Amino acid sequence: MASLLQDRLTTDQDLLLMQEGMPMRKVRSKSWKKLRYFRLQNDGMTVWHARQARGSAKPSFSISDVETIRNGHDSELLRSLTEELPLEQGFTVVFHGRRSNLDLVANSVEEAQIWMRGLHLLVDLVTSMDHQERLDQWLSDWFQRGDKNQDGKMSFQEVQRLLHLMNVEMDQEYAFSLFQAADTSQSGTLEGEEFVEFYKALTKRAEVQELFESFSADGQKLTLLEFLDFLREEQKERDCTSELALELIDRYEPSDSGKLRHVLSMDGFLSYLCSKDGDIFNPACLPIYQDMTQPLNHYFICSSHNTYLVGDQLCGQSSVEGYIRALKRGCRCVEVDVWDGPSGEPVVYHGHTLTSRILFKDVVATVAQYAFQTSDYPVILSLETHCSWEQQQTMARHLTEILGEQLLSTTLDGVLPTQLPSPEELRRKILVKGKKLTLEEDLEDEEEEVEPGLEGEHESELALESQFETESEPEPQEQNLQIKDKKKKSKTILCPALSSLVIYLKSVSFRSFTHSKKHYHFYEISSFSETKAKRLIKEAGNEFVQHNTWQLSRVYPSGLRTDSSNYNPQELWNAGCQMVAMNMQTAGLEMDICDGHFRQNGGCGYVLKPDFLRDNQSSFHPERPISPFKAQTLLIQVISGQQLPKLKTKEGSIVDPLVKVQIFGVRLDTARQETNYVENNGFNPYWGQTLCFRVLVPELAMLRFVVMDYDWKSRNDFIGQYTLPWSCMQQGYRHIHLLSKDGISLCPASIFVYICIREGLEGDES
């Protein structure tokens, strides 16, 4: 594929023009618009920019970081500047993770089209590369960086500089011997293929060679039967057949003669180990593999809090981009806080704060466009309505007109249901969650429970919090918030047009589990602040589990998290809470756990709960788990690391990596252990250490592998991580391909481990 890329770079007209460079306006805001000169580098992998046509350039972005390209009409920022900038000349570069979009305006429609077509082509080429092709491209990129005078050759001095950049500290004599061995032309420099050979010598994996030779009779190849033995004995592929082993040889053996002879060379063996089949994440768990025909309340649902925010909760920016990002990453429940806006148009923002405002109709249009791009399963609009009767009518009109057939506005088949429908039955449907008018006596009863009027769940939670405190009073600042919110209650009446759009997800206030069982129905949903939910788990964990077998629960972060930080969702999933809402704009451990959990089942945003969280007679208590749950012992041998990235904050130094393994599950299972650090080697560190964990409830456990740079003076620095559910973990010799803080691939950075799971609890064998 790298060669296909090189071929396109020399033949495709758009790419040729992009390599010459073009002036474009870079737009950051209504007031910040600057002319810059953008040029695609000759490697086809990076775009650089400069202030003047021939000024000093610096990297702008890498093609591998680009998710997609949008035209100007789909840019929220460019649309706000239509009077001064022509939309058809604009386009947006959208990046993976949380990096801000790049809005550009070309000098003509033709030039904008050249860049859009060219970038689309490059993104397609990069995303379809396999591991080896990515590695080749990564090498090509390093060669470009190391070749300081850009003459296509590398002197030993340039190689030394490059080794330092690549996180390698090596004896100079040894490095020079490798350099001389690779310099077959004896020119004193390394060119193309010679550099590749130098890199291969540099990255020789002794631990993999040893493993290969332990199964190979002649040390040169693995026969079909030898490879089959390896797959069954070490990789624990119990049902592995000769046909599957043949298929893997055909897929990963680079030589045609090897394929014909049905043997695997050392290169083919390494290629298999680095592939998806050799990954720690079981490929069988990547597509939708779970039963999707059970009622909604039987699933964990990927949920977002304050979805409109891309910053903090006090003065951050509100943007439809928040909805696009959440929906594209598989989120199935988004939150919309709606308030009265000017000219009769409702607006969305975080009430009583300085956050910016966006039109409700723009949010609905965005949801309509992006709801089902990643997953076909239902999207829930969690409405927090603070609007007047008139603007509620406008809301109902926008929902009905913009969403059209996507909006679920009646029960399925018009039949009175006895349980919530399944994700399968609700495919490509958008459901409204919110307050709903009931019979007059029910309304009167509800008004006794809470302050009169239509309040948001956050406000009602704060106002009601004191009624449910049993052990301690709220913090003084929480009390102040409660008092303020009580004062701000309005006596708004719910508009029937909006009420009628709430079908299966009627918001009701929680009083107690006994009250819910006696008064509420399966189609009613209660929301809990994180503090209340955690307290209920401690005080009545089993009741909470049983409650969540028949009714949906939504948990949201504390109002005191003004920096949009997150809680650990695992604690709430342990009790069967389905919609554990996260501030998705905030990276960190908590979002790693959430992303890892929903990586399974096709990334569709729905994960089936374990059977003991779906049984309404369940005896499970998340704080005191007892048998018959199947306890297991996990042994992890952390063997080695490969091409760990250099920390930008420590430009001059080489990392001292260590690996930390964390288990998140029920409280008794939550644990962490780490290896020793390896000094001055981020390139091919070797640990060879075994860690042992005992887990009581593996069905709820998550594993997080974190690579850190040891620092004796301060906290260790984060290098990369990978998080996955216990149930999706493969045994045997596996590579863990690391992700950045934002969840973006750090290819080719990985760690190599050996995983062994045994039934029951065993002693420490480390």
Side-chain angles (χ1 to χ4, degrees):
M1 181 63 65
S3 58
L4 177 56
L5 174 61
Q6 294 306 319
D7 179 55
R8 290 297 183 94
L9 286 168
T10 53
T11 57
D12 186 275
Q13 202 56 40
D14 292 332
L15 299 186
L16 287 167
L17 289 168
M18 287 165 68
Q19 288 172 81
E20 288 177 17
M22 286 181 202
M24 289 188 278
R25 268 169 290 184
K26 180 179 176 180
V27 184
R28 277 192 189 156
S29 66
K30 288 187 178 183
S31 58
W32 198 102
K33 300 176 281 289
K34 302 279 174 76
L35 191 66
R36 296 286 183 264
Y37 290 81
F38 288 85
R39 187 173 80 81
L40 175 69
Q41 296 300 98
N42 297 337
D43 63 355
M45 289 297 289
T46 48
V47 172
W48 290 46
H49 73 274
R51 294 190 173 195
Q52 286 90 30
R54 282 174 182 77
S56 63
K58 58 181 180 179
S60 184
F61 60 89
S62 168
I63 299 298
S64 56
D65 291 340
V66 178
E67 183 190 307
T68 190
I69 317 298
R70 296 189 204 138
N71 65 43
H73 293 274
D74 290 330
S75 164
E76 186 178 23
L77 177 56
L78 295 181
R79 278 203 310 269
S80 70
L81 294 164
T82 43
E83 289 180 13
E84 48 181 309
L85 295 172
L87 277 180
E88 56 279 0
Q89 287 172 218
F91 62 95
T92 305
V93 182
V94 181
F95 299 101
H96 293 290
R98 294 169 180 81
R99 181 174 169 180
S100 299
N101 295 346
L102 175 62
D103 286 288
L104 298 170
V105 179
N107 284 342
S108 68
V109 176
E110 293 73 33
E111 289 186 1
Q113 292 297 323
I114 286 166
W115 276 85
M116 286 173 69
R117 283 194 304 265
L119 288 172
H120 272 300
L121 173 62
L122 291 170
V123 169
D124 287 346
L125 286 171
V126 169
T127 34
S128 55
M129 287 180 180
D130 64 21
H131 178 79
Q132 188 55 49
E133 289 159 345
R134 281 175 189 272
L135 193 58
D136 291 346
Q137 196 57 53
W138 180 81
L139 262 183
S140 164
D141 184 32
W142 276 114
F143 188 87
Q144 297 259 347
R145 280 195 243 179
D147 182 14
K148 210 168 182 185
N149 59 4
Q150 299 291 296
D151 63 353
K153 301 171 183 178
M154 288 186 72
S155 65
F156 182 61
Q157 194 178 359
E158 286 176 313
V159 164
Q160 281 182 298
R161 178 178 161 274
L162 180 63
L163 288 178
H164 198 78
L165 285 174
M166 292 175 91
N167 249 336
V168 190
E169 188 153 285
M170 187 179 283
D171 176 75
Q172 192 166 330
E173 282 183 35
Y174 178 60
F176 188 59
S177 68
L178 292 182
F179 179 89
Q180 284 184 311
D183 180 18
T184 50
S185 63
Q186 296 186 330
S187 62
T189 59
L190 299 183
E191 298 180 44
E193 206 50 48
E194 291 177 331
F195 179 71
V196 173
E197 288 309 310
F198 173 74
Y199 172 80
K200 277 186 179 174
L202 202 61
T203 55
K204 196 167 184 185
R205 302 272 301 272
E207 76 279 21
V208 176
Q209 185 75 41
E210 196 179 309
L211 179 61
F212 178 79
E213 289 172 1
S214 68
F215 277 85
S216 166
D218 64 1
Q220 301 299 308
K221 64 184 182 303
L222 287 178
T223 64
L224 178 61
L225 286 178
E226 287 169 345
F227 185 44
L228 194 56
D229 283 346
F230 171 76
L231 292 172
R232 286 175 177 167
E233 290 173 28
E234 299 294 355
Q235 304 301 77
K236 306 293 188 285
E237 304 271 8
R238 303 292 183 206
D239 304 320
C240 188
T241 60
S242 298
E243 287 73 27
L244 176 61
L246 265 176
E247 195 182 306
L248 292 174
I249 289 173
D250 200 49
R251 196 177 299 162
Y252 299 115
E253 174 53 43
S255 76
D256 291 335
S257 64
K259 287 178 186 176
L260 282 170
R261 289 158 48 224
H262 301 159
V263 297
L264 201 59
S265 64
M266 174 60 195
D267 282 349
F269 182 64
L270 183 57
S271 183
Y272 153 75
L273 286 175
C274 292
S275 73
K276 273 197 164 45
D277 292 295
D279 195 273
I280 190 169
F281 198 102
N282 189 341
C285 298
L286 287 173
I288 292 167
Y289 70 100
Q290 296 179 334
D291 176 8
M292 302 304 290
T293 63
Q294 300 200 28
L296 280 185
N297 49 292
H298 284 187
Y299 297 85
F300 295 120
I301 303 170
C302 187
S303 303
S304 163
H305 176 59
N306 289 346
T307 316
Y308 45 87
L309 287 181
V310 288
D312 67 55
Q313 299 181 18
L314 290 180
C315 46
Q317 184 192 353
S318 300
S319 168
V320 295
E321 199 61 45
Y323 291 92
I324 296 171
R325 289 180 185 180
L327 292 166
K328 290 193 82 168
R329 69 193 298 170
C331 181
R332 299 289 86 189
C333 175
V334 296
E335 185 180 30
V336 194
D337 282 355
V338 199
W339 302 77
D340 280 352
S343 311
E345 281 294 343
V347 290
V348 174
Y349 76 107
H350 199 244
H352 313 304
T353 66
L354 301 175
T355 57
S356 59
R357 302 165 188 217
I358 47 178
L359 290 174
F360 175 72
K361 64 180 178 183
D362 287 350
V363 170
V364 178
T366 301
V367 171
Q369 184 178 351
Y370 289 94
F372 306 111
Q373 284 195 8
T374 298
S375 167
D376 272 356
Y377 290 113
V379 167
I380 296 164
L381 286 184
S382 182
L383 291 187
E384 290 291 320
T385 310
H386 311 266
C387 295
S388 61
W389 174 286
E390 293 75 21
Q391 294 213 10
Q392 285 180 53
Q393 284 187 306
T394 306
M395 284 175 64
R397 190 176 76 249
H398 288 327
L399 287 165
T400 309
E401 290 176 1
I402 297 170
L403 297 180
E405 289 295 306
Q406 292 179 323
L407 181 67
L408 187 82
S409 51
T410 61
T411 56
L412 294 177
D413 306 323
V415 176
L416 202 62
T418 54
Q419 63 176 22
L420 285 172
S422 69
E424 192 59 45
E425 290 173 300
L426 293 168
R427 264 180 179 268
R428 300 190 74 82
K429 286 293 179 189
I430 296 171
L431 285 69
V432 174
K433 168 193 165 294
K435 297 284 182 185
K436 185 173 178 66
L437 294 167
T438 56
L439 297 172
E440 200 171 330
E441 58 265 32
D442 287 345
L443 277 172
E444 287 169 5
D445 183 47
E446 260 196 40
E447 287 188 2
E448 285 171 21
E449 294 166 23
V450 295
E451 290 83 357
L454 178 65
E455 71 280 84
E457 66 193 23
H458 302 10
E459 294 176 315
S460 63
E461 288 296 345
L462 284 165
L464 284 166
E465 192 81 44
S466 59
Q467 294 178 26
F468 299 105
E469 290 288 350
T470 53
E471 290 181 355
S472 60
E473 289 298 308
E475 297 284 329
Q477 55 200 127
E478 282 198 24
Q479 285 182 327
N480 291 340
L481 276 171
Q482 290 169 16
I483 293 161
K484 282 181 193 169
D485 276 299
K486 283 180 180 177
K487 283 179 184 171
K488 285 171 188 165
K489 295 291 172 222
S490 59
K491 295 197 176 181
T492 310
I493 303 166
L494 181 54
C495 156
L498 189 58
S499 167
S500 69
L501 299 181
V502 177
I503 309 299
Y504 292 113
L505 301 166
K506 176 190 171 186
S507 297
V508 291
S509 300
F510 177 81
R511 295 181 72 174
S512 70
F513 293 123
T514 306
H515 177 268
S516 294
K517 200 176 278 186
K518 187 176 176 185
H519 295 284
Y520 290 160
H521 306 89
F522 65 86
Y523 54 81
E524 291 169 316
I525 172 172
S526 296
S527 288
F528 304 83
S529 69
E530 61 171 288
T531 45
K532 184 195 284 188
K534 286 176 183 177
R535 190 174 63 252
L536 287 169
I537 290 170
K538 281 190 175 69
E539 294 169 1
N542 178 245
E543 282 184 87
F544 210 166
V545 165
Q546 291 191 1
H547 173 85
N548 288 326
T549 64
W550 67 275
Q551 196 175 51
L552 283 165
S553 290
R554 180 175 181 271
V555 184
Y556 58 88
S558 158
L560 301 179
R561 291 184 182 273
T562 52
D563 58 351
S564 292
S565 60
N566 279 306
Y567 47 51
N568 183 347
Q570 188 68 50
E571 292 180 64
L572 294 316
W573 292 332
N574 291 344
C577 296
Q578 298 88 347
M579 295 152 73
V580 180
M582 305 290 286
N583 287 309
M584 293 200 160
Q585 73 272 31
T586 309
L589 178 149
E590 297 82 7
M591 269 315 300
D592 292 344
I593 294 170
C594 185
D595 289 344
H597 184 68
F598 288 105
R599 189 166 283 127
Q600 62 182 310
N601 208 31
C604 75
Y606 286 84
V607 169
L608 190 64
K609 297 197 284 186
D611 53 5
F612 56 84
L613 292 181
R614 308 194 309 262
D615 172 12
N616 58 16
Q617 301 296 314
S618 178
S619 61
F620 180 73
H621 192 304
E623 295 289 299
R624 297 186 291 279
I626 51 168
S627 54
F629 308 110
K630 296 173 186 172
Q632 292 181 331
T633 298
L634 169 67
L635 295 171
I636 301 173
Q637 186 189 7
V638 181
I639 304 170
S640 60
Q642 295 76 43
Q643 289 91 50
L644 304 176
K646 201 178 186 72
L647 295 168
K648 285 179 182 168
T649 51
K650 297 181 176 177
E651 210 59 63
S653 67
I654 289 173
V655 300
D656 305 322
L658 62 87
V659 177
K660 178 167 64 177
V661 180
Q662 297 166 297
I663 306 270
F664 297 96
V666 296
R667 193 179 300 278
L668 290 171
D669 289 343
T670 301
R672 54 171 279 183
Q673 292 180 46
E674 60 186 47
T675 67
N676 299 329
Y677 68 91
V678 173
E679 202 168 343
N680 281 340
N681 189 348
F683 194 71
N684 54 358
Y686 181 85
W687 294 281
Q689 283 178 258
T690 301
L691 311 176
C692 178
F693 297 91
R694 304 172 197 82
V695 175
L696 294 171
V697 191
E699 298 94 327
L700 288 172
M702 298 285 300
L703 274 89
R704 183 171 184 254
F705 295 84
V706 197
V707 181
M708 312 286 285
D709 179 18
Y710 172 77
D711 192 327
W712 65 273
K713 290 182 290 188
S714 59
R715 282 180 61 184
N716 295 338
D717 294 301
F718 174 94
I719 294 175
Q721 66 83 32
Y722 190 79
T723 309
L724 77 161
W726 181 289
S727 57
C728 298
M729 179 171 50
Q730 295 203 95
Q731 295 190 69
Y733 288 95
R734 303 291 172 185
H735 277 93
I736 298 168
H737 298 280
L738 297 175
L739 304 174
S740 72
K741 259 187 180 139
D742 273 344
I744 300 167
S745 168
L746 289 174
C747 182
S750 63
I751 50 175
F752 187 46
V753 298
Y754 180 71
I755 303 281
C756 178
I757 299 172
R758 295 175 184 162
E759 298 303 319
L761 300 178
E762 298 183 8
D764 192 336
E765 299 183 23
S766 58

